[in-house]
Amino acid sequence: MSHFTQPLEYVGRPAQRVDALDKVMGRAKYIADYRVPGMLHARCLRSTLPHARIARLDTTPALRVPGVRAVITSDDFVDHGLYGFPVKDKYMLAYQKVRYVGEAIATVAADTPQAALAGAQAILCELEPLPALFDATRALDPDAPQVGPDRKNGNREHPNLKSDHMLVCKGNAEAELADCPIVLDRRYFTDWQEHAYIEPEGVLAIPTPEGGVVVYAPNQSPFINQNNLAMVLGLPINLVRVIQPTVGGSFGGKDDIIYESSAQAAKLALVTGRPVRMVFSREESLVASYKRDAMHMHIRLGADRDGTLRACWFRGILDSGAYASETPFTAWRASIHAMGAYRYNACDVDVYCVYTNNGYAGAFRGFGNPEVCFAVEQTVDELADMLGMDPIDLRLKNCLRLGDETAHGQKLDESMGLVECINTVRRLSDWDRKRAEYSRQTSTEKRRGIGVAIMYHGMSLGAEGADYAGATISVLPDYSVDLTSGLTDYGTGSRTVFTLIAAEELGVRPDRIRIQRPDTNTAIESGPTVASRTTVLGGNAMRAAARNLRQTLDLAAADLLRCDPQQLIRVGESYVGPDEEAVAWEKIVDHAREMGLILSAHGKWEAPKIVWDHHHGRGTPYMAYVYGAQVAEVEVDLRTGNTQVLHLWAVHDIGKVIFPQGAYGQLYGGITQGLGYALTEQITYRDGYIQETNFESYLIPTSVDVPEITAQFVESSYSYGPYGAKNIAEPSLVPTAPAIANAIAHATGRRVRELPMNLERVLLGHDLQPPASRDAAIRGVWMETRSMPQTPAPAAPRIYA
Amino acid sequence: MWIEMTLNGKPVAVEAPPDISLLDLLRDYLNLTGTKEGCAVGECGACAVIMDGRLVNSCMVLAPQAHGSEVITIEGVHGPDGGPNDLQQNFIEYGAVQCGICIPGMIMAGEALLMHNPNPSRQEIRMGLAGNLCRCTGYQQIVDAIEATAKGRQKG
Ligand code: FES
Ligand code: FES
């Protein structure tokens, strides 16, 4: 019987989140809600210096504090707890040196949180300051202090160089630029961004009678955590079990920091023989956790006078702080997307990351693409301004289309909906009328502007690593269907996506299906839950598992109904054979059991192989891409620099939409994070000390900052995606900040080339209070430039005759 | 000290130190963990409860201040059968829930808003939620859910 031609019954239809009921009733349990008998509370001692040698560390005074049960340091782990991927450069607790303010040095377990804090404060820790580095652009200077780790491989490179140079090379970009009549040469900067999940970090570790440990950890990738734990605790992997409880948001943020907390709590649980829970305060979360990298970018775009793009030259340096975490991968993804979704004759991209003592950076939704999109999409807009072209027309003239080859050399031969995204967002936003109308404003108080940005985003890991996932499915005695996936749901809705896919393939109602919590004991290892890969990788695996089970049930049905499986049809859940009598699904299950058939199955799916030549910057970096276009309409108060976003339109090509309500939710939420990234979210490391330590200074968008959002999907089917699906989680926020920046430029005539575009940057074009390291000469500028020019002259581009 | 209050319609008395917050009293002394802590400084609204008819951030209320008051937490919000009420059902139906950590506070803010303004505009709903941070949803589907609930309650 063919499953392909039938209309889809559950996939793409209205559905509700499988975990919504528990959440609206207040019943869902997050780590801070877990209480188990005998549970101890853990607390870290953290570094107060950005770079220092640990001269003395004496934990015995802490043990004398009433209520304190144990204290651990890096000495308590195998190899001092060294871990990290792709670079092994971080310790579960600092060893010999600290490299950022907030780095964990020792962890105390005590009867109460208060005793744990008192214990941490009692630890004798002497830190001997070392020269520190805060300016990423100076990190590779010969006289820069070494803040990166010693290299064992003969030190070919500067020790502060964290990653390889990530290259994309097509033709000779220098020569092409020299030949272009118009060249724009621009520098952009994007700042650190905090994930700001509303649930701060936490873990609970419970020792087992066999000498192992069960860790409840709101991490994204439990199997990586399990591997790390086995390694640093010196335990066989089967004695380490990681379970993911309900996660209160992550956005890329709950990996390394949770692995560390897991290792600390697990070690303390093993030492004390008691459960240990550690929950961060918001302040601790902001100080200790990793963030989105800050990125210094230099872009040169070459074009003909008719607006045809010809060359892109791009240099990017990621300030990714004291440890690597996943930032070498971030740099790679940034390099692949640095030139934007356009055609070029020549392209030359080089992106790398460096060590500094500004906190540390890791994965964050978008993973390098929001940074580079901010630069390239504004530069393209400036080109349109210069040429007097409509920004959307210029983009349509140059953007990638079906059949094109990307700058990397990848042929785009299917699932390419970018032009449709652009045309749709143009129509929905009433672009042409507003663009014309707002160009004629004369008000000196408030002006409106409308701006656009487009994007593409490579699906899943691409050349970052092996790309596979597994899933299991089984029928339980009560005829419910039980699912597991090795990929996790930290608020994204993937549990619902998997449920709908299993329902579709099995032909049973979704309310019969239950999906287990991710648990390393029951699920199949599936690589990390990152890179918006869950729907495609996990979805395909679940589809395969459900099909395997379906085949078994079809056999049983054919046996019971005395026909070939091909003759069966389904009416609702029931099976109908040639005699046209409907037989309940439960009966088929019973019969399968009587036949001795096993009603459980697993499925595995591997992404198509991709090829990337790191040395020459050529190849097929991703299996396929998602596309999108967003338009922002803003009103800027010319007297204060305040920007209000009035409306946002977003049209994204994500392939077949499996769970519409969830997909829209991802889009709205991502756009909102992009809006915060654009306007208000600022992390300031002043000499390594973070200045924003709670939500009164780290400003994420509230319900009144976010306008109504009009969203639509273009569903250009992808042949390898489940039912043609692609993905949405990350791409949603990528074009938001540049769309807003372009709208601000339209309103004010002023380009803001730094994020966030706060009041003073919009009003003055620079910071009101420059960081101490900057030239003091610009300090007096507030008085001089108070009144904004009516029609600021655009910065002079470099024009070759 | 002993703190007495009416909690979700029932009288309770609990002994607790005088210097803790209502949030800690609820979570640690009364084991009502539906009320969440997101910041502990009054900025996020994850800890919102209704106290004497007003929406308050329970992390900013000292436990003794709740003495003699009437407090409603998320555990006290439900339909007649103990299942979701209309607002909670609409949160489910309109996709207003993602990670869920802000949702108890959002439900409390929604109930408080509808108590004082049974027929709010979308902008008024946004104003009513301005003290509740959500990092996942972008608020749009939360506004949808509250708007639908207001309309439903108007019809009776
Ligand atoms: S925890 Fe009370 S407002 Fe954030
Ligand atoms: S649903 Fe995650 S913070 Fe609101």
Side-chain angles (χ1 to χ4, degrees):
Chain A
M1 148 177 58
S2 160
H3 308 313
F4 298 107
T5 49
Q6 287 167 6
L8 297 172
E9 205 160 332
Y10 301 109
V11 162
R13 308 248 165 198
Q16 295 168 355
R17 275 187 83 98
V18 296
D19 53 6
L21 178 63
D22 278 345
K23 288 174 175 175
V24 298
M25 301 307 287
R27 293 195 299 244
K29 292 265 179 261
Y30 301 81
I31 271 298
D33 305 331
Y34 279 76
R35 279 160 179 67
V36 291
M39 184 174 85
L40 299 175
H41 301 264
R43 183 76 188 234
C44 286
L45 173 72
R46 296 186 179 278
S47 168
T48 51
L49 287 177
H51 194 204
R53 198 176 66 82
I54 302 172
R56 181 169 171 222
L57 185 57
D58 180 1
T59 59
T60 45
L63 292 166
R64 289 196 290 269
V65 172
V68 168
R69 302 287 165 177
V71 189
I72 55 164
T73 67
S74 66
D75 290 344
D76 293 287
F77 294 113
V78 174
D79 204 10
H80 302 282
L82 184 64
Y83 81 104
F85 183 77
V87 185
K88 238 179 172 184
D89 66 355
K90 197 165 190 331
Y91 298 88
M92 295 297 183
L93 286 166
Y95 172 58
Q96 292 183 330
K97 282 182 186 175
V98 289
R99 293 186 170 87
Y100 75 97
V101 175
E103 184 168 357
I105 298 170
T107 314
V108 179
D111 294 340
T112 64
Q114 294 77 11
L117 174 63
Q121 285 165 341
I123 294 170
L124 284 177
C125 176
E126 283 171 22
L127 297 178
E128 198 179 282
L130 294 168
L133 175 68
F134 308 116
D135 183 350
T137 63
R138 316 303 303 267
L140 302 187
D141 287 358
D143 58 347
Q146 176 183 342
V147 301
D150 290 325
R151 287 175 197 241
K152 296 194 176 84
N153 59 0
N155 220 351
R156 334 164 249 122
E157 302 273 12
H158 196 294
N160 293 340
L161 181 66
K162 186 183 282 183
S163 71
D164 291 335
H165 287 260
M166 306 297 180
L167 310 177
V168 179
C169 310
K170 176 181 183 178
N172 184 339
E174 296 280 359
E176 187 82 14
L177 282 170
D179 191 46
C180 284
I182 297 166
V183 175
L184 277 145
D185 187 315
R186 292 290 181 268
R187 286 172 194 272
Y188 283 90
F189 174 73
T190 55
D191 216 335
W192 298 85
Q193 187 181 21
E194 163 72 15
H195 305 82
Y197 23 71
I198 304 297
E199 177 207 33
E201 297 79 355
V203 293
L204 168 65
I206 303 171
T208 66
E210 308 90 48
V213 65
V214 177
V215 178
Y216 286 78
N219 46 199
Q220 293 189 179
S221 309
F223 289 96
I224 298 179
N225 196 359
Q226 180 195 33
N227 264 312
N228 283 337
L229 285 167
M231 175 179 73
V232 301
L233 298 172
L235 287 174
I237 200 139
N238 65 340
L239 289 185
V240 178
R241 177 179 180 190
V242 177
I243 300 170
Q244 190 203 61
T246 309
V247 183
S250 179
F251 320 112
K254 285 183 178 157
D255 276 333
D256 302 54
I257 188 76
I258 298 291
Y259 305 155
E260 276 168 48
S261 304
S262 297
Q264 295 159 21
K267 185 71 207 182
L268 286 165
L270 292 171
V271 170
T272 60
R274 289 170 62 174
V276 174
R277 196 185 71 184
M278 172 150 63
V279 175
F280 287 17
S281 66
R282 178 59 54 186
E283 287 79 5
E284 189 170 16
S285 172
L286 265 147
V287 170
S289 76
Y290 61 89
K291 323 242 172 289
R292 186 193 299 287
D293 50 273
M295 196 157 162
H296 301 264
M297 293 172 280
H298 185 185
I299 183 168
R300 291 156 69 201
L301 272 189
D304 282 331
R305 290 190 188 282
D306 68 352
T308 306
L309 286 173
R310 288 175 54 184
C312 176
W313 177 98
F314 185 99
R315 296 290 177 269
I317 304 172
L318 282 78
D319 179 357
S320 47
Y323 294 99
S325 185
E326 289 179 36
T327 53
F329 293 142
T330 316
W332 180 70
R333 187 176 275 273
S335 76
I336 298 300
H337 296 86
M339 73 300 293
Y342 300 103
R343 288 183 304 266
Y344 298 96
N345 297 337
C347 199
D348 178 352
V349 175
D350 182 348
V351 180
Y352 58 90
C353 37
V354 295
Y355 286 101
T356 67
N357 300 109
N358 297 321
Y360 77 113
F364 195 148
R365 194 179 199 167
F367 214 71
N369 201 3
E371 295 91 312
V372 297
C373 192
F374 182 69
V376 70
E377 281 301 305
Q378 281 211 76
T379 313
V380 166
D381 229 59
E382 285 190 78
L383 182 67
D385 285 352
M386 264 189 62
L387 297 169
M389 270 181 86
D390 179 89
I392 287 187
D393 289 340
L394 181 76
R395 285 173 171 85
L396 284 170
K397 188 179 180 77
N398 292 288
C399 74
L400 294 169
R401 290 169 188 254
L402 190 68
D404 280 348
E405 203 178 82
T406 65
H408 330 92
Q410 179 166 1
K411 183 116 163 71
L412 300 172
D413 48 13
E414 66 157 323
S415 186
M416 167 27 123
L418 179 56
V419 170
E420 194 180 338
C421 291
I422 298 172
N423 286 330
T424 308
V425 87
R426 176 178 216 157
R427 180 169 48 76
L428 289 176
S429 63
D430 196 8
W431 167 271
D432 293 282
R433 184 184 68 74
K434 286 177 181 161
R435 186 81 192 175
E437 183 184 326
Y438 298 161
S439 298
R440 292 193 295 267
Q441 295 169 102
T442 52
S443 166
T444 52
E445 294 181 0
K446 287 187 175 178
R447 285 194 201 163
R448 291 191 174 189
I450 188 162
V452 67
I454 68 169
M455 59 84 62
Y456 73 148
H457 193 82
M459 288 167 61
S460 197
L461 300 176
E464 289 168 39
D467 221 358
Y468 57 88
T472 72
I473 187 166
S474 47
V475 185
L476 300 188
D478 65 354
Y479 306 102
S480 66
V481 176
D482 184 270
L483 310 180
T484 76
S485 167
L487 298 176
T488 66
D489 183 342
Y490 31 91
T492 53
S494 59
R495 282 153 59 90
T496 309
V497 167
F498 295 152
T499 300
L500 296 175
I501 289 175
E504 189 69 54
E505 292 299 330
L506 222 47
V508 300
R509 296 188 318 274
D511 61 11
R512 199 188 273 285
I513 298 175
R514 280 196 296 264
I515 178 155
Q516 297 280 339
R517 292 243 128 260
D519 178 341
T520 55
N521 260 26
T522 57
I524 297 174
E525 199 274 324
S526 299
T529 310
V530 299
S532 309
R533 65 194 284 270
T534 307
T535 296
V536 172
L537 275 288
N540 273 325
M542 189 59 74
R543 194 177 190 196
R547 280 183 172 174
N548 287 339
L549 177 60
R550 165 82 178 253
Q551 187 194 27
T552 308
L553 286 165
D554 284 359
L555 281 177
D559 189 63
L560 188 68
L561 300 173
R562 296 169 202 289
C563 64
D564 277 349
Q566 286 77 9
Q567 292 173 281
L568 295 165
I569 56 166
R570 299 289 294 274
V571 175
E573 293 190 318
S574 299
Y575 277 83
V576 179
D579 67 0
E580 290 180 9
E581 200 183 314
V583 179
W585 191 75
E586 285 86 344
K587 283 235 164 61
I588 306 296
V589 169
D590 288 341
H591 187 68
R593 291 200 173 114
E594 277 160 27
M595 291 169 72
L597 298 175
I598 300 297
L599 293 185
S600 62
H602 87 275
K604 224 180 158 189
W605 195 76
E606 243 187 280
K609 283 271 170 295
I610 51 110
V611 188
W612 183 249
D613 178 343
H614 270 281
H615 296 289
H616 299 98
R618 305 287 304 155
T620 306
Y622 293 99
M623 55 176 148
Y625 298 83
V626 293
Y627 305 91
Q630 293 184 9
V631 166
E633 183 177 351
V634 303
E635 184 170 83
V636 182
D637 189 326
L638 299 180
R639 298 157 301 185
T640 62
N642 183 50
T643 302
Q644 186 73 28
V645 182
L646 302 176
H647 203 107
L648 282 157
W649 294 264
V651 182
H652 286 248
D653 166 19
I654 66 168
K656 172 73 185 170
V657 178
I658 291 180
F659 173 34
Q661 190 190 72
Y664 281 104
Q666 285 294 307
L667 190 47
Y668 299 140
I671 288 171
T672 300
Q673 291 178 355
L675 187 146
Y677 190 45
L679 296 176
T680 56
E681 295 182 28
Q682 182 146 28
I683 292 287
T684 317
Y685 283 106
R686 191 158 293 159
D687 297 330
Y689 293 86
I690 189 171
Q691 302 297 301
E692 295 81 9
T693 55
N694 208 319
F695 289 135
E696 85 284 326
S697 45
Y698 190 73
L699 304 176
I700 67 173
T702 70
S703 51
V704 291
D705 303 321
V706 186
E708 296 289 327
I709 299 167
T710 303
Q712 204 162 302
F713 293 116
V714 168
E715 298 182 277
S716 59
S717 190
Y718 174 51
S719 59
Y720 286 102
Y723 313 95
K726 297 195 281 187
N727 57 285
I728 176 62
E730 292 182 280
S732 54
L733 78 59
V734 171
T736 310
I740 292 172
N742 289 336
I744 291 174
H746 187 222
T748 65
R750 187 187 283 281
R751 277 283 152 200
V752 187
R753 296 197 178 86
E754 278 176 81
L755 282 182
M757 297 176 283
N758 54 26
L759 303 188
E760 50 266 38
R761 284 176 180 161
V762 172
L763 184 66
L764 307 173
H766 53 73
D767 293 335
L768 189 55
Q769 282 180 305
S773 59
R774 296 223 186 135
D775 190 344
I778 59 172
R779 278 168 205 257
V781 103
W782 167 245
M783 294 308 295
E784 292 160 27
T785 52
R786 185 88 188 251
S787 60
M788 199 155 116
Q790 297 292 309
T791 46
R798 216 172 95 213
I799 301 185
Y800 299 97
Chain B
M1 68 177 287
W2 280 92
I3 297 167
E4 289 172 33
M5 58 182 166
T6 307
L7 181 58
N8 296 328
K10 291 196 195 80
V12 295
V14 56
E15 194 172 12
D19 60 347
I20 65 166
S21 67
L22 174 57
L23 174 63
D24 289 344
L25 186 78
L26 292 169
R27 289 180 57 84
D28 297 342
Y29 291 79
L30 294 160
N31 205 24
L32 293 180
T33 55
T35 306
K36 306 301 181 191
E37 177 179 316
C39 71
V41 295
E43 290 286 337
C44 77
C47 65
V49 300
I50 294 176
M51 185 169 142
D52 294 330
R54 279 190 328 126
L55 187 72
V56 296
N57 286 332
S58 63
C59 71
M60 299 306 284
V61 176
L62 270 182
Q65 286 178 276
H67 183 74
S69 70
E70 197 173 322
V71 172
I72 304 172
T73 69
I74 188 67
E75 288 87 353
V77 181
H78 47 70
D81 59 349
N85 74 6
D86 54 346
L87 180 62
Q88 289 163 316
Q89 188 58 41
N90 280 328
F91 266 62
I92 299 173
E93 267 164 31
Y94 284 82
V97 181
Q98 289 189 31
C99 84
I101 193 85
C102 72
I103 294 300
M106 288 288 180
I107 298 272
M108 301 317 292
E111 288 292 358
L113 170 73
L114 294 177
M115 230 171 346
H116 296 112
N117 181 358
N119 192 16
S121 68
R122 283 181 77 85
Q123 190 53 28
E124 284 169 337
I125 295 171
R126 287 183 181 273
M127 295 299 290
L129 302 177
N132 291 70
L133 296 177
C134 175
R135 191 56 158 167
C136 298
T137 65
Y139 307 100
Q140 185 136 327
Q141 289 151 308
I142 294 177
V143 176
D144 293 344
I146 295 174
E147 189 181 34
T149 308
K151 291 213 176 99
R153 287 185 187 178
Q154 291 281 298
K155 282 194 203 119

